[in-house]
Amino acid sequence: MKTIKIPEATIIRLSVYSRYLAQCDRRGIVTISSNEIAEGVGVSSAQVRKDLAYFGEFGTRGVGYNVKDLHRHIMKILGLNQKWPLVIVGAGNLGTALSMYGGFRERGFHVVGIFDDDPNKIGYKLNGVEVFPISKLKEVVAEGGAKIGVITVPAPAAQEVANALIESGVKALLNFAPVVLSVPPEIELRNVDLSVNLEILTFNLGYRRGID
Amino acid sequence: MKTIKIPEATIIRLSVYSRYLAQCDRRGIVTISSNEIAEGVGVSSAQVRKDLAYFGEFGTRGVGYNVKDLHRHIMKILGLNQKWPLVIVGAGNLGTALSMYGGFRERGFHVVGIFDDDPNKIGYKLNGVEVFPISKLKEVVAEGGAKIGVITVPAPAAQEVANALIESGVKALLNFAPVVLSVPPEIELRNVDLSVNLEILTFNLGYRRGID
DNA sequence: GACTGTGAAGCCATTCACAGCT
DNA sequence: AGCTGTGAATGGCTTCACAGTC
């Protein structure tokens, strides 16, 4: 049971590299150095090499990396060499926006169901995906093979929704509600708090600026 | 020019603490220990104390912290003791969702204008806020006193929009387009890539799980 | 006795610098 | 000569442990 600890920061950067490589590939670039990647995405070249070194040797000394190959390798590392069906709970503005968000589909994520407890929304189709009542969660997750659940309900409902998603068989949760969820350790959980990002900006505009 | 370096992770946690404290306050809790905060938000108590210590001494030894006071202090640190007008460029699904997102208003962020280059969208009101053509950017930013610009346009248009926002006088950018923007150093920039968060989940579901 | 505030220790991530290929 | 891959050094964040205060 060897566990090599990989920094989360590395995963985030791999995701950025993959997008940059895809762009280079579209431009017809065949070979690229760690330095060029570094400049393209705004990190150091040593960082690029270290990040890649966690997963193997993908380059050729004296030459660089083959763009297509490296891109494919990174996509595989990120688990994006397959489709990822997912469900969204909460058909409010954010849930609706996410269900139509092109950036997901591009990377292999596709929405198999959206859920809401508002009877007025049930049956509607958003971007071709039906809005179901929460009672259908288990059924749709199973049929669609969804391993990921996205939570876009108001904070007070989020824990309950998380429980229902886990109960229905989902293995990973992406939570947009500004609340700390408690889930069993085997469930992968990530929180995205949209306000936090604005608050880092306001902190930097105010406090940090004041003391420099 | 003394610059105390404050970890970004600290700012993120302060934001979480503030929400937890607000919740405690609503429940009528008057005093709270670092340990109780720690358990409530899932970090260590030493971490809570260290985070707060960057900014002063807010507690009483042997007692703990006054909930209301500490909350107010943190809000001030984050710069949330004032209103923050902002503009959103890109009236697609995401921009629309964000403009209606209640979580922003709660924390003092309010949208003074939404911009799009699609003539069909111009003049519409989203949640009481008008959709303007990009040509009105400078005017609306100035009148509304917006210091923050949110970018929710497709990736190819993002750099151009960033330039226009900076030109119009905005000091900070929150970018949702999956692209690396280049901006002058005095402009605060944060990137939110919604797909990256899903990709960390798929990495953890796939790779990490495989080697444990 | 309880809990904060903080120097010191420990740990993890990034950067450096160079050996090793092509 | 050019560029990767990597051990060693550095820097920064977190945890420890306890002195200080109520």
Side-chain angles (χ1 to χ4, degrees):
Chain A
M1 295 288 190
K2 189 170 64 170
T3 301
I4 309 143
K5 175 84 186 38
I6 290 153
E8 186 168 291
T10 290
I11 307 308
I12 295 171
R13 284 190 298 265
L14 285 178
S15 181
V16 176
Y17 302 160
S18 73
R19 258 180 273 275
Y20 185 68
L21 289 167
Q23 192 186 316
C24 291
D25 187 30
R26 279 195 300 274
R27 284 190 201 149
I29 298 165
V30 175
T31 304
I32 196 165
S33 69
S34 59
N35 223 313
E36 291 168 304
I37 298 174
E39 286 184 5
V41 307
V43 302
S44 76
S45 67
Q47 184 78 81
V48 172
R49 296 199 297 279
K50 256 281 146 61
D51 285 339
L52 297 174
Y54 283 113
F55 302 96
E57 308 193 359
F58 305 114
T60 310
R61 295 173 191 221
V63 179
Y65 304 88
N66 177 285
V67 171
K68 269 193 166 47
D69 273 5
L70 185 56
H71 180 255
R72 195 165 26 235
H73 271 121
I74 295 178
M75 291 301 271
K76 174 126 186 253
I77 291 166
L78 294 174
L80 301 182
N81 55 338
Q82 57 173 277
K83 296 274 179 221
W84 287 95
L86 56 82
V87 293
I88 297 175
V89 183
N93 293 308
L94 188 57
T96 304
L98 291 179
S99 75
M100 302 189 180
Y101 182 55
F104 286 169
R105 183 159 315 186
E106 253 170 46
R107 307 286 283 180
F109 300 103
H110 70 274
V111 182
V112 297
I114 307 165
F115 298 83
D116 208 290
D117 60 3
D118 179 348
N120 296 323
K121 291 180 178 165
I122 311 249
Y124 259 79
K125 290 225 174 176
L126 299 172
N127 212 21
V129 183
E130 199 175 333
V131 180
F132 298 100
I134 308 270
S135 57
K136 292 250 188 175
L137 193 57
K138 197 159 190 166
E139 188 184 317
V140 175
V141 166
E143 273 179 23
K147 296 251 187 315
I148 301 176
V150 178
I151 300 173
T152 56
V153 297
Q159 181 65 58
E160 192 188 342
V161 165
N163 298 345
L165 280 163
I166 294 166
E167 166 70 18
S168 76
V170 152
K171 300 294 181 220
L173 297 176
L174 186 62
N175 172 42
F176 284 84
V179 69
V180 179
L181 297 179
S182 72
V183 301
E186 71 272 17
I187 299 293
E188 296 291 335
L189 170 64
R190 281 198 64 81
N191 297 292
V192 181
D193 188 325
L194 297 169
S195 296
V196 167
N197 287 291
L198 282 174
E199 292 171 17
I200 295 168
L201 288 177
T202 57
F203 172 78
N204 287 340
L205 284 178
Y207 191 87
R208 195 159 276 173
R209 193 138 305 207
I211 60 169
D212 285 338
Chain B
M1 296 289 190
K2 189 170 63 171
T3 302
I4 308 144
K5 175 85 184 39
I6 290 154
E8 186 169 292
T10 289
I11 307 308
I12 294 171
R13 284 189 299 264
L14 285 178
S15 180
V16 176
Y17 302 160
S18 74
R19 258 180 273 276
Y20 185 67
L21 289 168
Q23 193 185 315
C24 291
D25 188 31
R26 279 195 300 274
R27 284 191 200 148
I29 297 166
V30 175
T31 304
I32 196 165
S33 69
S34 59
N35 222 314
E36 291 168 303
I37 298 174
E39 287 184 4
V41 306
V43 302
S44 75
S45 67
Q47 183 79 81
V48 173
R49 295 198 298 278
K50 256 282 144 67
D51 285 339
L52 297 174
Y54 283 113
F55 302 96
E57 307 192 359
F58 305 115
T60 310
R61 295 173 191 220
V63 179
Y65 305 88
N66 177 284
V67 171
K68 268 193 167 44
D69 273 5
L70 185 56
H71 180 257
R72 196 167 23 234
H73 271 121
I74 295 178
M75 291 301 272
K76 174 128 187 251
I77 292 166
L78 294 173
L80 301 182
N81 56 338
Q82 58 172 275
K83 296 273 179 223
W84 287 96
L86 57 81
V87 293
I88 297 176
V89 182
N93 293 307
L94 188 57
T96 304
L98 292 179
S99 76
M100 302 189 180
Y101 182 56
F104 286 169
R105 183 158 315 186
E106 252 169 46
R107 307 285 285 180
F109 301 104
H110 70 275
V111 182
V112 297
I114 307 164
F115 298 82
D116 207 291
D117 61 2
D118 178 350
N120 296 323
K121 291 180 178 163
I122 313 261
Y124 259 79
K125 288 224 174 177
L126 298 172
N127 212 22
V129 183
E130 199 174 333
V131 180
F132 298 99
I134 307 271
S135 57
K136 293 251 187 172
L137 193 56
K138 197 159 191 168
E139 186 184 320
V140 175
V141 166
E143 273 179 23
K147 297 248 188 315
I148 301 175
V150 178
I151 301 173
T152 56
V153 298
Q159 181 66 57
E160 191 187 343
V161 165
N163 297 346
L165 279 163
I166 294 166
E167 166 70 19
S168 75
V170 152
K171 301 294 181 221
L173 297 176
L174 186 62
N175 172 41
F176 284 84
V179 69
V180 179
L181 297 179
S182 73
V183 302
E186 72 273 18
I187 299 292
E188 297 290 335
L189 170 64
R190 283 199 62 82
N191 297 292
V192 181
D193 189 324
L194 297 169
S195 296
V196 167
N197 287 290
L198 283 173
E199 291 170 18
I200 294 168
L201 289 177
T202 58
F203 172 78
N204 287 338
L205 284 178
Y207 191 87
R208 196 158 273 173
R209 194 137 305 206
I211 59 170
D212 285 337

